[in-house]
Amino acid sequence: MSQMSTHYPDATRIETVNRHTLAIVVDNEPGVLARIAGLFSGRGYNIESLTVTETEHEAHISRITIVTTGTDSIIEQIKSQLGRLVPVHRVVDLTLTGDAVERELCLVKVVGKGDHRVEAMRLASAFGARTLDATLTSFVYELTGSTEEVERFIKLMTAVGLVEVSRTGVAAMARGAEGM
Amino acid sequence: MSETMTGAEMVIRALQDQGVEHIFGYPGGAVLPIYDALFHQDKVKHILVRHEQGAVHAAEGYARSSGKVGVVLVTSGPGATNAVTGLADAMMDSIPLVCITGQVPTHLIGSDAFQECDTVGITRHCTKHNYLVKSIEDLPRILHEAFYVASNGRPGPVVVDLPKDIQFTPGSYSRPVNNQHKTYRPAVKGDMDKIRAAIELMANAKRPVFYTGGGVINSGPHAASLLRELVRLTGFPITSTLMGLGAYPASDPQFLGMLGMHGTYEANLAMHECDVMINIGARFDDRITGRLDAFSPYSKRIHVDIDPSSINKNVKVDLPIIGDCAHVLEDMVRLWRQTAPQIDKVALKDWTNKIEGWRARNCLAYRPSNETIKPQYAIQRLYELTKGRETYVTTEVGQHQMWAAQYFKFEDPNRWMTSGGLGTMGYGLPAAIGAQLANPKALVVDIAGEASILMNMQEMSTAVQYRLPVKIFILNNEYMGMVRQWQELLHGGRYSQSYSESLPDFVKLAEAYGGVGMRCDKPADLDAAILEMIHVNRPVIFDCIVDKTENCFPMIPSGKAHNEMLLNDYLGETGTDIGSVIDEKGKMLV
Ligand SMILES: Cc1ncc(C[n+]2csc(CCOP(=O)(O)OP(=O)(O)O)c2C)c(N)n1
Ligand SMILES: [Mg+2]
């Protein structure tokens, strides 16, 4: 630590905004999601995606996965503000623990005939999407993949008659043998 | 051993088991079963307030002056919404409270029933935690957990919302073996490596300063005595936030007075020039830091806080230590003694001399007067004449609050109660009632403004009913003085709505409530009047007519740094324009 260092921000430094995926283990009690969502809106943080379900029924424990963006100091604040909530057991920043596996599931409905229909089928098989429903004029596909993959898929489908999308948001887990 | 009883009885039993002696409340339809259970016992005494906001502030005053958890009982709907300001106040100032609110019966929740409101929704972000009790089986655990959550870690208010049907339902109650929360376990012990590093940083400091806050008070009297020990061992100067006053004796030569927006010249300059800052239980609030990018530019910062979210929130620190102040201070004292560091005596002497130079500036000096009572003088006399006693001081919000902080010297923790974070006018009288109840023999004074006091004036009735001889000492300047001061600074002296028109006659008002009214407007009569007030063993409203034009200095205007303070003599002899000192950007700030 140097003697007279200052805490003035550097004149032209612009802090970069990064995307982080947080895994939050909480008591599955009423209002816990409202607490977390309210914390983000109340303090002006971003939520890009949020998923939640009970993961241990017996213990009433849920896992919430949030994808958020912010500067390093905002991300640090988000994590400690989350940690302060009484029903929150743990907050793990999967982005910092190394490259986590992140997946989301999307359902898309495409409607069309002729070339569009053929192209939709080709794209679906190129992405490895599953066909969940088909009529003479429509398909419902299921695709599981990274957010980027899902987004590319949806963009392409838009050109061939996409009428509806439903996405789960990101589920994520750290790689390797260690559990959370 | 478990016993069968109704939910309402469980509430009272749990309070008894927690050792609660007093609760503050107001009845209504949704809590009648609890009031009935209260009726059948006399261990828990109920103080009937006149407004639910008063109940919460009274519980805050009780908690802050006694170190116990304050307890509130209010009805659903308007009872709960009236309590919200108090809850937000306790949240901002980290005061441990348990507030039990009645709720409409479970099957009516969500139907817009009479006096229904979404209490847990409304209070979610102004409480540390809240519960809606949905079954009688959960009730005993929740009641005890509420006390644990309120008082462990960074303290705060907890709401337990209890539907009326559950109050009637019988269930089995047993006192939990330990009333912990199943997972909530805030760390109290600091990381030893970090503490060691802190001691090393302190040992090598040339211009150190302690900056301490409400965390030391919240951590208990033991923390305050450890702080005194450490400060004396090191010989370093110390300043305190508004919330931390009394943790270190104000009369001690090492104490620089309060820092921040209305802090002393020496405290703020010491913060600006220091090379090592030791923050213990303070949170770098914006009233403290002033302009952030010019805040204490040369310092390495140590920050001890029990709440990890306080670390690096407003100000980046070099050495965060997460833990309870008393625990960390204990380790610091021990390590300092063990290592007996070779401090740089020459540098420290220079630093002390520099600080004494700033102190010689005498920033709290004001122009005395023989005709009108200067508000600063009134506080000084109040302090001098109550010095030898066990005195508790609460305040409302405004100039009088800052003058109280500047001129009343607090020697002990838990003697000073003011609304710091939320700045709630109307806090002082109910808080004084709570403090008086917790300390029946003590002198309790609410230093008030004539505008603020009217916000919870009705609590005078409570004071009279329970024979609580609180003293309301109004610095009556006929203005919302702090608003007027800001209008002079920011808005060309256009006093929009800040004149206190149509004030009541406070002497008659006191008498109408069944208390004692006094008035004083001459400096020469002040001492005798204050002494008389002290000796009256009944609630008193003391209408102290003070100079209407006095402003509160020193002041760091919004958007300015610690070394850009305005001092009392800035005005010169004529005392006109202070409007030119804040730039356009500063005017945007609060
Ligand atoms: C509930 C509430 N409303 C408004 C304010 C804004 N405010 C801060 S100080 C003040 C004036 C207080 O006047 P007074 O009680 O006479 O105190 P003085 O400043 O004159 O000492 C006002 C309106 C506040 N702090 N709290
Ligand atoms: Mg006033």
Coordinates of all heavy atoms in Angstrom, one line a residue, chain B residues 450 477 479 481, ligand 2:
Chain B
E450 N -40.5 24.1 17.1 CA -41.9 24.3 17.3 C -42.7 23.7 16.1 O -43.9 23.4 16.3 CB -42.2 25.9 17.3 CG -42.3 26.6 16.0 CD -41.0 26.6 15.2 OE1 -39.9 26.5 15.9 OE2 -41.0 26.8 14.0
N477 N -38.3 29.1 17.1 CA -37.8 30.2 16.2 C -38.9 30.6 15.2 O -38.6 31.3 14.2 CB -36.5 29.8 15.5 CG -36.6 28.5 14.7 OD1 -37.7 27.9 14.6 ND2 -35.6 28.0 14.2
Y479 N -40.0 29.3 12.8 CA -39.7 28.9 11.4 C -39.4 27.4 11.4 O -38.9 26.9 12.4 CB -38.5 29.6 10.8 CG -38.8 30.9 10.2 CD1 -38.5 32.1 10.9 CD2 -39.3 31.0 8.9 CE1 -38.7 33.3 10.4 CE2 -39.5 32.3 8.4 CZ -39.3 33.4 9.1 OH -39.5 34.6 8.5
G481 N -36.8 26.1 10.8 CA -35.5 26.8 10.6 C -34.6 26.1 9.6 O -34.0 26.8 8.8
Ligands
MG2 MG -38.4 26.0 14.3

